[in-house]
Amino acid sequence: MTTPPPAPEPLTDVARLSDAERDQAIEVLRDHAVQGRLSHDTFMQRIELALSAGGRAELDSLTADLPTQGRLSRMLVRSVAAVSALGLRVQGAWQNPRLPAITLPTAESAPLRIGRLPGNDLRLSHDSVSRAHAELRRDGACWLLRDLGSTNGTRVNGSRIIGTASVRPGDRVSFGESSYRLTAQ
């Protein structure tokens, strides 16, 4: 006698959540956290639950206890966020040309070493700059900036780099709290 094949699993009516649905729930949670209606711990727990939610009901339960905003309130919050972002872009555009310049190396030569030690090619005396902070070199048609394990980090256009990042003329680079603008010769 043979064993019958296992019965197929029953089909479920649960539709898979889209990224947009998850993003919308996360945005609601973020707005309420910013307004002080959710503690940081509660916010983080609900974000994790939103990312692992299996269905719409699970997602809806994460925001069910929060007061709903009217359309006008949501529009106002989005408008303020857009104006704030514009302010940051204007501030960056205003400050970038005023930064001191670092000229990018012209040929594939030894890397330009940057740091606080006297033996560096570019010596920066600010306390937030590590003794051997970073190096800048040309590699073919591009320039590479490498953080050398600095304490306060190396940033390119505001984003901290880990390891090596490609840079180009006009980029804003920061070594600790010292900021510069890269220029070509």
Side-chain angles (χ1 to χ4, degrees), residues 49-63:
L49 292 170
L51 294 173
S52 64
R56 187 74 210 174
E58 284 181 66
L59 205 55
D60 289 343
S61 71
L62 299 175
T63 58

Side-chain angles (χ1 to χ4, degrees), residues 56-160:
R56 187 74 210 174
E58 284 181 66
L59 205 55
D60 289 343
S61 71
L62 299 175
T63 58
D65 63 333
L66 302 172
T68 58
Q69 290 181 330
R71 206 168 124 183
L72 181 60
S73 296
R74 281 193 307 272
M75 224 168 45
L76 180 62
V77 168
R78 287 187 184 132
S79 297
V80 169
V83 169
S84 177
L86 175 64
L88 290 173
R89 288 195 310 266
V90 168
Q91 181 183 11
W94 180 260
Q95 288 177 344
N96 202 27
R98 295 171 179 240
L99 292 174
I102 294 177
T103 303
L104 290 163
T106 55
E108 290 186 34
S109 58
L112 176 74
R113 299 210 31 115
I114 302 163
R116 230 177 42 235
L117 285 176
N120 286 310
D121 302 309
L122 176 59
R123 186 169 179 226
L124 305 176
S125 59
H126 197 276
D127 289 340
S128 65
V129 177
S130 295
R131 291 176 291 188
H133 198 101
E135 67 181 20
L136 181 63
R137 66 181 166 87
R138 184 159 185 155
D139 184 27
C142 67
W143 293 275
L144 300 174
L145 179 63
R146 182 169 68 112
D147 183 82
L148 299 174
S150 64
T151 303
N152 293 311
T154 301
R155 297 182 183 278
V156 175
N157 297 324
S159 297
R160 187 168 182 164

Side-chain angles (χ1 to χ4, degrees), residues 28 32 36 42-43 48 114 122 136-137 140 153 163 178:
V28 169
H32 285 283
T42 302
F43 171 70
E48 287 181 27
I114 302 163
L122 176 59
L136 181 63
R137 66 181 166 87
S178 296

Side-chain angles (χ1 to χ4, degrees), residues 2-71:
T2 62
T3 311
E9 292 185 28
L11 295 176
T12 60
D13 292 332
V14 178
R16 184 172 171 222
L17 289 171
S18 69
D19 289 340
E21 289 173 305
R22 290 180 201 278
D23 289 345
Q24 185 178 17
I26 289 171
E27 183 178 342
V28 169
L29 293 169
R30 180 183 48 84
D31 290 344
H32 285 283
V34 167
Q35 294 168 11
R37 293 190 179 116
L38 291 174
S39 71
H40 177 72
D41 290 339
T42 302
F43 171 70
M44 294 306 293
Q45 288 170 351
R46 290 189 185 190
I47 292 295
E48 287 181 27
L49 292 170
L51 294 173
S52 64
R56 187 74 210 174
E58 284 181 66
L59 205 55
D60 289 343
S61 71
L62 299 175
T63 58
D65 63 333
L66 302 172
T68 58
Q69 290 181 330
R71 206 168 124 183

